[in-house]
């Protein structure tokens, strides 16, 4: 007597579905929006350090032509700016940290996620201390450029020209790096950063020169 044997193919189907999902995840295109988040923070910090320090040095240089005053102004701008960036970033990221941790706690109480998923999500929560340190570091990196450019040039007019040239070169680099990593138009990104930097330095120099000429 023939006996019919029924073979359950459900495990095979589940395996095929899991394999298909894995391949879909691996083949998913890279999300440049995630990259742009940390890239924006890095470029913003470096640009802030570069432009604010350079503009301060140019502004003071408009009324005080000696090298020492210009360098001290740049150092003060570097320290104050780095501290300000670090504190601001710490407070901002800590608010985000609190919000995300509260969300994770709610999800764990409702049992919507497994323990492994919760741990993985906790690892993705941003660190306020790391964000503050990175922000201050990038600001200092940018601020060092005009300081080094002016440090060894005694002649006033040559010093101004060297600072403008060094800052312009750095702005081109920051703009190009931002465009390359963020897949943005290269020329537009560079011009946007470069023209903005020139305006910042020019306005600061001009207004300080105007105020200084009034004898205040």
């Amino acid at each position: 007597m023939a006996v019919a044997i029924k073979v359950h193919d459900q495990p095979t189907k589940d395996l095929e579905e899991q394999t298909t999902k894995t391949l879909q995840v691996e083949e998913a295109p890279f999300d440049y929006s995630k990259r742009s988040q940390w890239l924006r923070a890095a470029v913003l910090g470096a640009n802030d350090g570069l432009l604010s320090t350079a503009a301060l040095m140019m502004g003071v240089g408009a009324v005080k032509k000696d090298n020492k005053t210009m360098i001290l102004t740049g150092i003060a701008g570097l320290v104050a700016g780095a501290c300000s960036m670090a504190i601001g970033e710490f407070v901002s990221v800590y608010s985000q940290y609190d919000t995300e941790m509260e969300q994770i706690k709610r999800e764990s109480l409702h049992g919507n996620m497994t323990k492994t998923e919760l741990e993985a999500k906790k690892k993705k929560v941003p660190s306020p201390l790391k964000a503050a340190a990175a922000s201050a570091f990038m600001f200092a990196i940018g601020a060092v450029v005009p300081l080094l450019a002016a440090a060894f040039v005694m002649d006033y007019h040559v010093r101004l020209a060297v600072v403008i040239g060094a800052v312009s070169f750095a702005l081109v680099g920051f703009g190009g790096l931002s465009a390359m990593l963020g897949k943005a138009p290269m020329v537009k990104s560079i011009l946007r950063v470069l023209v903005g930097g020139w305006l910042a330095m020019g306005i600061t120099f001009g207004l300080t020169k105007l105020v200084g000429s009034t004898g205040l």
Side-chain angles (χ1 to χ4, degrees):
M1 181 176 62
V3 179
I5 301 175
K6 185 177 181 181
V7 180
H8 295 279
D9 59 350
Q10 186 62 35
T12 303
K13 290 183 179 179
D14 292 341
L15 180 61
E16 290 177 353
E17 290 177 0
Q18 183 177 359
T19 304
T20 302
K21 290 179 180 179
T22 303
L23 291 174
Q24 288 176 347
V25 171
E26 291 177 351
E27 295 175 358
F30 184 81
D31 187 1
Y32 286 100
S33 63
K34 293 181 180 179
R35 173 188 281 178
S36 66
Q37 293 175 0
W38 63 261
L39 174 63
R40 177 183 174 277
V43 173
L44 179 62
N47 267 322
D48 279 351
L50 178 70
L51 289 179
S52 60
T53 304
L56 276 172
M57 293 172 66
M58 293 291 291
V60 172
V63 292
K64 295 288 185 179
K65 298 184 178 182
D66 62 294
N67 182 272
K68 184 178 180 179
T69 301
M70 201 172 187
I71 295 300
L72 287 175
T73 301
I75 293 174
L78 187 158
V79 175
C83 291
S84 176
M85 290 287 290
I87 293 171
E89 193 72 11
F90 181 83
V91 172
S92 176
V93 175
Y94 217 113
S95 298
Q96 180 183 351
Y97 174 86
D98 288 338
T99 301
E100 294 190 17
M101 289 303 295
E102 285 299 322
Q103 179 62 29
I104 291 174
K105 288 179 181 179
R106 286 194 293 269
E107 291 176 351
S108 63
L109 291 175
H110 288 95
N112 296 331
M113 302 178 68
T114 64
K115 184 177 180 180
T116 303
E117 290 174 333
L118 286 172
E119 290 298 325
K121 201 163 186 179
K122 286 181 180 179
K123 290 181 180 179
K124 293 181 180 180
V125 176
S127 168
L129 288 175
K130 289 182 179 179
S135 182
F137 176 76
M138 292 307 299
F139 185 96
I141 289 294
V144 164
V145 174
L147 277 170
L148 289 178
F152 306 105
V153 182
M154 295 297 108
D155 184 82
Y156 172 69
H157 294 94
V158 174
R159 191 188 320 129
L160 291 181
V162 170
V163 169
I164 293 172
V167 171
S168 299
F169 184 78
L171 287 172
V172 170
F174 287 143
L177 179 64
S178 175
M180 181 179 66
L181 296 180
K183 300 298 181 181
M186 181 71 71
V187 176
K188 287 184 178 180
S189 179
I190 292 175
L191 287 177
R192 190 163 50 237
V193 174
L194 190 58
V195 172
W198 287 344
L199 284 173
M201 289 187 292
I203 292 172
T204 305
F205 183 89
L207 288 178
T208 308
K209 188 79 171 178
L210 178 63
V211 173
S213 65
T214 63
L216 295 178

